[in-house]
Amino acid sequence: MIKKIDTKFKFQNSQRGFAALLTIVVVSVAVLILAYSASILGLGELDLGYTSQKGEEAFAIADGCMEESFRRLRLNVVYLGETITTSNGLCVISVVAVGSDRTITVTANTTDFYYKKIEANITLSSDILPVITINSWAEK
């Protein structure tokens, strides 16, 4: 006895299986691309947050050094600046005097080489203990 096999039916089932497999592969690739993109964006956000934190740290050092320069100018009107080292970095204070006006430039660096620069223009009163009037203050 010879059995006849219906080849048309098996051929249709194999096409359906191939279509299902192809659909699974395409969907898997799309999900993989989305996951990869999300991880790259996450790494970028981490880097941006770290840079922002270090920039704020450098600004805090610069701001503190600017305040220190004001204090030293009140005590000594011929103060011309200095380099101050902190536990988180250092700052360089530069003072340029023109009469009773001063231009103070502070450049601060963290230990990780992030930096901020602040410049202030001030006027000193002619009192025994001078009063400082800030004319401008800018982050450079």
Side-chain angles (χ1 to χ4, degrees):
M1 213 183 314
I2 299 176
K3 289 188 177 180
K4 191 174 180 184
I5 300 174
D6 188 7
T7 57
K8 184 178 177 184
F9 181 70
K10 288 189 175 192
F11 183 68
Q12 286 177 347
N13 281 343
S14 69
Q15 282 183 338
R16 288 182 193 151
F18 180 73
L21 182 62
L22 186 61
T23 302
I24 289 171
V25 168
V26 168
V27 168
S28 297
V29 167
V31 167
L32 184 63
I33 289 171
L34 288 173
Y36 178 74
S37 297
S39 67
I40 293 298
L41 286 173
L43 290 174
E45 289 294 321
L46 282 174
D47 186 44
L48 186 62
Y50 179 78
T51 302
S52 175
Q53 177 186 358
K54 290 299 180 178
E56 289 173 6
E57 187 177 315
F59 182 78
I61 295 169
D63 190 43
C65 287
M66 183 64 78
E67 293 294 331
E68 180 64 16
S69 70
F70 291 166
R71 187 184 75 78
R72 296 205 182 185
L73 274 169
R74 287 189 74 214
L75 298 175
N76 179 8
V77 293
V78 294
Y79 174 71
L80 295 177
E82 64 185 302
T83 299
I84 299 175
T85 303
T86 67
S87 61
N88 296 335
L90 64 90
C91 66
V92 177
I93 301 170
S94 171
V95 180
V96 177
V98 178
S100 63
D101 293 334
R102 304 286 186 275
T103 300
I104 305 165
T105 305
V106 174
T107 304
N109 297 313
T110 65
T111 53
D112 308 28
F113 304 108
Y114 288 85
Y115 75 96
K116 286 288 182 182
K117 186 175 185 179
I118 299 175
E119 186 174 286
N121 292 312
I122 65 169
T123 302
L124 298 173
S125 67
S126 58
D127 298 334
I128 295 173
L129 190 59
V131 174
I132 294 175
T133 303
I134 300 173
N135 302 320
S136 68
W137 174 295
E139 185 178 344
K140 300 284 181 171

PDB file of all heavy atoms in Angstrom, residues 58-70 84 91 93 106 118 137:
ATOM      1  N   ALA A  58      33.689  73.432  41.337  1.00  0.00           N
ATOM      2  CA  ALA A  58      34.665  74.456  40.929  1.00  0.00           C
ATOM      3  C   ALA A  58      34.112  75.852  41.183  1.00  0.00           C
ATOM      4  O   ALA A  58      34.847  76.745  41.624  1.00  0.00           O
ATOM      5  CB  ALA A  58      35.022  74.281  39.452  1.00  0.00           C
ATOM      6  N   PHE A  59      32.816  76.055  40.939  1.00  0.00           N
ATOM      7  CA  PHE A  59      32.216  77.363  41.193  1.00  0.00           C
ATOM      8  C   PHE A  59      32.231  77.687  42.682  1.00  0.00           C
ATOM      9  O   PHE A  59      32.467  78.837  43.064  1.00  0.00           O
ATOM     10  CB  PHE A  59      30.783  77.419  40.662  1.00  0.00           C
ATOM     11  CG  PHE A  59      30.151  78.766  40.858  1.00  0.00           C
ATOM     12  CD1 PHE A  59      30.464  79.815  40.016  1.00  0.00           C
ATOM     13  CD2 PHE A  59      29.271  78.988  41.895  1.00  0.00           C
ATOM     14  CE1 PHE A  59      29.902  81.063  40.203  1.00  0.00           C
ATOM     15  CE2 PHE A  59      28.698  80.228  42.096  1.00  0.00           C
ATOM     16  CZ  PHE A  59      29.013  81.276  41.237  1.00  0.00           C
ATOM     17  N   ALA A  60      31.980  76.693  43.522  1.00  0.00           N
ATOM     18  CA  ALA A  60      32.001  76.924  44.977  1.00  0.00           C
ATOM     19  C   ALA A  60      33.394  77.350  45.435  1.00  0.00           C
ATOM     20  O   ALA A  60      33.530  78.248  46.273  1.00  0.00           O
ATOM     21  CB  ALA A  60      31.564  75.664  45.715  1.00  0.00           C
ATOM     22  N   ILE A  61      34.424  76.734  44.869  1.00  0.00           N
ATOM     23  CA  ILE A  61      35.797  77.132  45.211  1.00  0.00           C
ATOM     24  C   ILE A  61      36.053  78.568  44.750  1.00  0.00           C
ATOM     25  O   ILE A  61      36.583  79.388  45.501  1.00  0.00           O
ATOM     26  CB  ILE A  61      36.821  76.167  44.580  1.00  0.00           C
ATOM     27  CG1 ILE A  61      36.679  74.769  45.183  1.00  0.00           C
ATOM     28  CG2 ILE A  61      38.245  76.679  44.764  1.00  0.00           C
ATOM     29  CD1 ILE A  61      37.467  73.696  44.450  1.00  0.00           C
ATOM     30  N   ALA A  62      35.656  78.883  43.507  1.00  0.00           N
ATOM     31  CA  ALA A  62      35.872  80.232  42.978  1.00  0.00           C
ATOM     32  C   ALA A  62      35.110  81.276  43.781  1.00  0.00           C
ATOM     33  O   ALA A  62      35.642  82.352  44.090  1.00  0.00           O
ATOM     34  CB  ALA A  62      35.445  80.288  41.504  1.00  0.00           C
ATOM     35  N   ASP A  63      33.880  80.981  44.136  1.00  0.00           N
ATOM     36  CA  ASP A  63      33.065  81.910  44.914  1.00  0.00           C
ATOM     37  C   ASP A  63      33.691  82.147  46.291  1.00  0.00           C
ATOM     38  O   ASP A  63      33.757  83.290  46.765  1.00  0.00           O
ATOM     39  CB  ASP A  63      31.652  81.359  45.048  1.00  0.00           C
ATOM     40  CG  ASP A  63      30.683  82.356  45.638  1.00  0.00           C
ATOM     41  OD1 ASP A  63      30.725  83.538  45.232  1.00  0.00           O
ATOM     42  OD2 ASP A  63      29.873  81.960  46.500  1.00  0.00           O
ATOM     43  N   GLY A  64      34.154  81.086  46.922  1.00  0.00           N
ATOM     44  CA  GLY A  64      34.816  81.229  48.221  1.00  0.00           C
ATOM     45  C   GLY A  64      36.082  82.057  48.134  1.00  0.00           C
ATOM     46  O   GLY A  64      36.364  82.889  49.013  1.00  0.00           O
ATOM     47  N   CYS A  65      36.848  81.858  47.073  1.00  0.00           N
ATOM     48  CA  CYS A  65      38.078  82.647  46.900  1.00  0.00           C
ATOM     49  C   CYS A  65      37.769  84.109  46.599  1.00  0.00           C
ATOM     50  O   CYS A  65      38.507  85.002  47.026  1.00  0.00           O
ATOM     51  CB  CYS A  65      38.931  82.032  45.792  1.00  0.00           C
ATOM     52  SG  CYS A  65      39.725  80.491  46.284  1.00  0.00           S
ATOM     53  N   MET A  66      36.676  84.359  45.881  1.00  0.00           N
ATOM     54  CA  MET A  66      36.284  85.748  45.622  1.00  0.00           C
ATOM     55  C   MET A  66      35.917  86.433  46.940  1.00  0.00           C
ATOM     56  O   MET A  66      36.334  87.569  47.193  1.00  0.00           O
ATOM     57  CB  MET A  66      35.097  85.792  44.651  1.00  0.00           C
ATOM     58  CG  MET A  66      34.673  87.195  44.269  1.00  0.00           C
ATOM     59  SD  MET A  66      35.922  88.142  43.361  1.00  0.00           S
ATOM     60  CE  MET A  66      35.744  87.443  41.730  1.00  0.00           C
ATOM     61  N   GLU A  67      35.173  85.740  47.775  1.00  0.00           N
ATOM     62  CA  GLU A  67      34.829  86.302  49.088  1.00  0.00           C
ATOM     63  C   GLU A  67      36.082  86.528  49.934  1.00  0.00           C
ATOM     64  O   GLU A  67      36.188  87.536  50.638  1.00  0.00           O
ATOM     65  CB  GLU A  67      33.858  85.372  49.822  1.00  0.00           C
ATOM     66  CG  GLU A  67      32.492  85.267  49.172  1.00  0.00           C
ATOM     67  CD  GLU A  67      31.716  86.566  49.203  1.00  0.00           C
ATOM     68  OE1 GLU A  67      31.912  87.372  50.133  1.00  0.00           O
ATOM     69  OE2 GLU A  67      30.904  86.777  48.283  1.00  0.00           O
ATOM     70  N   GLU A  68      37.033  85.611  49.841  1.00  0.00           N
ATOM     71  CA  GLU A  68      38.293  85.777  50.575  1.00  0.00           C
ATOM     72  C   GLU A  68      39.065  86.992  50.058  1.00  0.00           C
ATOM     73  O   GLU A  68      39.674  87.727  50.832  1.00  0.00           O
ATOM     74  CB  GLU A  68      39.146  84.508  50.456  1.00  0.00           C
ATOM     75  CG  GLU A  68      40.470  84.575  51.168  1.00  0.00           C
ATOM     76  CD  GLU A  68      40.357  84.717  52.686  1.00  0.00           C
ATOM     77  OE1 GLU A  68      39.278  84.469  53.258  1.00  0.00           O
ATOM     78  OE2 GLU A  68      41.379  85.091  53.302  1.00  0.00           O
ATOM     79  N   SER A  69      39.031  87.218  48.751  1.00  0.00           N
ATOM     80  CA  SER A  69      39.721  88.392  48.203  1.00  0.00           C
ATOM     81  C   SER A  69      39.072  89.682  48.699  1.00  0.00           C
ATOM     82  O   SER A  69      39.762  90.665  48.982  1.00  0.00           O
ATOM     83  CB  SER A  69      39.742  88.347  46.675  1.00  0.00           C
ATOM     84  OG  SER A  69      38.454  88.552  46.141  1.00  0.00           O
ATOM     85  N   PHE A  70      37.743  89.690  48.838  1.00  0.00           N
ATOM     86  CA  PHE A  70      37.064  90.868  49.389  1.00  0.00           C
ATOM     87  C   PHE A  70      37.524  91.127  50.826  1.00  0.00           C
ATOM     88  O   PHE A  70      37.812  92.261  51.204  1.00  0.00           O
ATOM     89  CB  PHE A  70      35.543  90.688  49.381  1.00  0.00           C
ATOM     90  CG  PHE A  70      34.905  90.681  48.024  1.00  0.00           C
ATOM     91  CD1 PHE A  70      33.609  90.246  47.867  1.00  0.00           C
ATOM     92  CD2 PHE A  70      35.586  91.119  46.894  1.00  0.00           C
ATOM     93  CE1 PHE A  70      32.997  90.239  46.629  1.00  0.00           C
ATOM     94  CE2 PHE A  70      34.998  91.125  45.646  1.00  0.00           C
ATOM     95  CZ  PHE A  70      33.693  90.670  45.520  1.00  0.00           C
ATOM     96  N   ILE A  84      45.423  80.058  46.414  1.00  0.00           N
ATOM     97  CA  ILE A  84      44.923  79.406  47.623  1.00  0.00           C
ATOM     98  C   ILE A  84      44.625  77.948  47.277  1.00  0.00           C
ATOM     99  O   ILE A  84      43.934  77.658  46.303  1.00  0.00           O
ATOM    100  CB  ILE A  84      43.651  80.096  48.149  1.00  0.00           C
ATOM    101  CG1 ILE A  84      43.945  81.550  48.521  1.00  0.00           C
ATOM    102  CG2 ILE A  84      43.077  79.334  49.334  1.00  0.00           C
ATOM    103  CD1 ILE A  84      42.727  82.346  48.932  1.00  0.00           C
ATOM    104  N   CYS A  91      42.678  77.844  43.772  1.00  0.00           N
ATOM    105  CA  CYS A  91      42.226  79.007  43.027  1.00  0.00           C
ATOM    106  C   CYS A  91      43.346  80.031  42.961  1.00  0.00           C
ATOM    107  O   CYS A  91      44.188  80.117  43.850  1.00  0.00           O
ATOM    108  CB  CYS A  91      40.967  79.608  43.638  1.00  0.00           C
ATOM    109  SG  CYS A  91      41.203  80.310  45.269  1.00  0.00           S
ATOM    110  N   ILE A  93      43.918  84.040  42.568  1.00  0.00           N
ATOM    111  CA  ILE A  93      43.262  85.349  42.687  1.00  0.00           C
ATOM    112  C   ILE A  93      44.201  86.396  42.098  1.00  0.00           C
ATOM    113  O   ILE A  93      45.376  86.457  42.447  1.00  0.00           O
ATOM    114  CB  ILE A  93      42.972  85.699  44.159  1.00  0.00           C
ATOM    115  CG1 ILE A  93      42.077  84.637  44.792  1.00  0.00           C
ATOM    116  CG2 ILE A  93      42.327  87.082  44.265  1.00  0.00           C
ATOM    117  CD1 ILE A  93      41.940  84.780  46.299  1.00  0.00           C
ATOM    118  N   VAL A 106      39.193  85.525  39.567  1.00  0.00           N
ATOM    119  CA  VAL A 106      39.454  84.287  40.303  1.00  0.00           C
ATOM    120  C   VAL A 106      39.253  83.125  39.344  1.00  0.00           C
ATOM    121  O   VAL A 106      38.206  83.008  38.709  1.00  0.00           O
ATOM    122  CB  VAL A 106      38.509  84.139  41.508  1.00  0.00           C
ATOM    123  CG1 VAL A 106      38.696  82.800  42.174  1.00  0.00           C
ATOM    124  CG2 VAL A 106      38.726  85.264  42.502  1.00  0.00           C
ATOM    125  N   ILE A 118      35.654  83.616  37.651  1.00  0.00           N
ATOM    126  CA  ILE A 118      34.739  84.688  38.052  1.00  0.00           C
ATOM    127  C   ILE A 118      35.517  85.996  38.003  1.00  0.00           C
ATOM    128  O   ILE A 118      36.682  86.053  38.405  1.00  0.00           O
ATOM    129  CB  ILE A 118      34.205  84.480  39.490  1.00  0.00           C
ATOM    130  CG1 ILE A 118      33.439  83.180  39.604  1.00  0.00           C
ATOM    131  CG2 ILE A 118      33.319  85.641  39.908  1.00  0.00           C
ATOM    132  CD1 ILE A 118      32.994  82.858  41.023  1.00  0.00           C
ATOM    133  N   TRP A 137      29.727  91.535  38.551  1.00  0.00           N
ATOM    134  CA  TRP A 137      30.161  90.204  38.978  1.00  0.00           C
ATOM    135  C   TRP A 137      29.737  89.273  37.852  1.00  0.00           C
ATOM    136  O   TRP A 137      28.555  89.205  37.521  1.00  0.00           O
ATOM    137  CB  TRP A 137      29.474  89.850  40.280  1.00  0.00           C
ATOM    138  CG  TRP A 137      29.684  88.463  40.799  1.00  0.00           C
ATOM    139  CD1 TRP A 137      29.280  87.296  40.217  1.00  0.00           C
ATOM    140  CD2 TRP A 137      30.326  88.082  42.004  1.00  0.00           C
ATOM    141  NE1 TRP A 137      29.628  86.241  40.990  1.00  0.00           N
ATOM    142  CE2 TRP A 137      30.275  86.691  42.105  1.00  0.00           C
ATOM    143  CE3 TRP A 137      30.934  88.799  43.018  1.00  0.00           C
ATOM    144  CZ2 TRP A 137      30.807  85.989  43.169  1.00  0.00           C
ATOM    145  CZ3 TRP A 137      31.455  88.089  44.075  1.00  0.00           C
ATOM    146  CH2 TRP A 137      31.400  86.711  44.163  1.00  0.00           C
TER     147      TRP A 137
END
